[in-house]
């Protein structure tokens, strides 16, 4: 059982929804980013989604693209991202970390080496948005063998014919993308999301967590009420981009987490 599996089992036992927070590793710099990471569990974050900076993040909108650029310009690398996770693990051995990014940096390092290093650093799961299910032998299956969850994205365009393929080797949870398009683009609507979550849940026992388009505690509450939890990324990254003090960023995160937990 991974930390992700354990976390969702604990939340289910408490009849509680999950709050997942995304940040870009190394944005605006390593030290500030590490401070934000370390403060997330106390702010109510159940699962941490850690962005791996990449030069060509095709699924991300301007907010997260710019965060990745700032991180890369500040010298952030895959190794430093893993170092950050390992540093976090020195004081927190329970909060799950999902590494979210693109395949190129992993491929460049070598899949086997990456998986060994990521596992040692305390990474629990991967979301690699540019590897479709047809490429499961590349990373998904080796990751699961290494004891890591491989989390897949389902979208409004994932029809009933495609859905079983998407779910086939997914573990940990299913990430439902509430809107078509890039991150941070539009607002998620619970009335649209609810039936889609129900459709996915009819085909899997995994928790279904909804992300994209959630920017306020009220939205987090509404979305979490029709799913197993909510993910917020761009709104948090915007607070960091505005140069807010870490305490203010974490207070913003706590508001979102409280919203999701009210559902």
């Amino acid at each position: 059982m991974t930390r992700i599996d354990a976390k969702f089992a604990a939340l289910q036992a408490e009849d509680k929804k999950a709050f997942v927070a995304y940040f870009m590793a190394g944005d605006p710099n390593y030290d500030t980013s590490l401070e934000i990471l370390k403060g997330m569990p106390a702010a109510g974050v159940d699962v941490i989604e850690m962005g791996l900076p990449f030069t060509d993040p095709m699924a991300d909108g301007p907010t997260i693209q710019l965060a990745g650029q700032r991180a890369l310009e500040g010298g952030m690398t895959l190794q430093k991202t893993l170092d950050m996770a390992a540093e976090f693990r020195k004081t927190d051995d329970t909060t799950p970390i999902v590494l979210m990014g693109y395949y190129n940096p992993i491929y460049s390092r070598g899949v086997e080496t990456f998986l060994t290093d990521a596992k040692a650093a305390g990474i629990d799961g991967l979301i690699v948005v540019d590897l479709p299910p047809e490429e499961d032998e590349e990373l998904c299956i080796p990751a699961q063998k290494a004891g890591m969850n491989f989390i897949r994205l389902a979208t409004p365009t994932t029809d009933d014919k495609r859905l079983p393929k998407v779910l086939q080797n997914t573990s940990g949870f299913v990430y439902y993308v509430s809107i078509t398009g890039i991150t941070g683009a539009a607002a998620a609507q619970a009335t649209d999301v609810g039936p889609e979550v129900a459709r996915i849940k009819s085909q899997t026992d995994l928790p279904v967590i909804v992300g994209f388009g959630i920017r306020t505690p009220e939205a987090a509450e509404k979305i979490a009420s029709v799913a197993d939890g909510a993910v917020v990324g761009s709104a948090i990254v915007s607070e960091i981009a505005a140069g807010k003090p870490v305490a203010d960023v974490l207070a913003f995160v706590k508001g979102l987490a409280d919203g999701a937990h009210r559902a």
Side-chain angles (χ1 to χ4, degrees):
M1 186 184 256
T2 66
R3 289 185 189 94
I4 296 169
D5 300 329
K7 175 61 75 175
F8 280 109
L11 287 166
Q12 196 173 6
E14 293 175 38
D15 196 24
K16 199 173 168 187
K17 299 302 177 78
F19 179 66
V20 183
Y22 171 96
F23 79 109
M24 179 66 73
D27 175 39
N29 55 60
Y30 183 94
D31 291 341
T32 305
S33 194
L34 178 59
E35 204 181 331
I36 291 165
L37 168 61
K38 285 183 169 180
M40 281 189 169
V45 177
D46 298 301
V47 178
I48 296 167
E49 215 179 288
M50 192 178 194
L52 174 62
F54 180 55
T55 49
D56 187 23
M58 66 184 100
D60 293 308
T63 303
I64 290 175
Q65 282 191 18
L66 289 168
Q69 283 175 20
R70 287 191 297 270
L72 291 168
E73 283 163 12
M76 202 62 183
T77 60
L78 172 53
Q79 184 57 52
K80 285 185 179 175
T81 304
L82 297 181
D83 291 346
M84 188 180 281
E87 194 61 37
F88 174 81
R89 283 281 169 243
K90 289 178 182 176
T91 53
D92 186 317
D93 196 41
T94 54
T95 307
I97 299 177
V98 175
L99 190 65
M100 182 171 188
Y102 296 81
Y103 186 45
N104 188 285
I106 296 168
Y107 177 78
S108 299
R109 193 182 188 96
V111 167
E112 210 171 302
T113 305
F114 166 76
L115 290 173
T116 303
D117 294 347
K119 184 79 176 154
I123 300 293
D124 305 291
L126 302 173
I127 298 175
V128 183
V129 292
D130 54 347
L131 272 184
E134 286 74 16
E135 308 291 339
D136 274 357
E137 295 293 338
E138 285 280 325
L139 181 64
C140 170
I141 289 165
Q144 308 229 38
K145 282 181 182 162
M148 265 182 268
N149 293 121
F150 199 88
I151 294 136
R152 191 85 68 193
L153 276 63
T155 73
T157 58
T158 308
D159 60 19
D160 288 337
K161 190 178 172 192
R162 179 68 176 165
L163 187 58
K165 186 77 178 166
V166 169
L167 296 173
Q168 189 176 303
N169 291 312
T170 299
S171 66
F173 61 92
V174 179
Y175 187 137
Y176 179 68
V177 176
S178 64
I179 51 173
T180 51
I182 52 174
T183 56
Q189 302 297 331
T191 46
D192 299 333
V193 168
E196 289 297 301
V197 170
R199 182 169 71 93
I200 295 165
K201 287 180 81 69
S202 72
Q203 297 202 34
T204 180
D205 294 330
L206 292 170
V208 179
I209 308 301
V210 177
F212 285 48
I214 303 168
R215 308 192 70 84
T216 64
E218 295 72 28
E221 182 178 357
K222 281 180 182 165
I223 293 295
S225 72
V226 296
D228 295 304
V231 187
V232 179
S234 293
I236 295 169
V237 173
S238 293
E239 294 290 299
I240 297 167
K244 300 271 181 79
V246 170
D248 290 4
V249 173
L250 292 172
F252 179 74
V253 171
K254 187 177 187 309
L256 294 162
D258 290 347
H261 291 149
R262 277 195 299 271

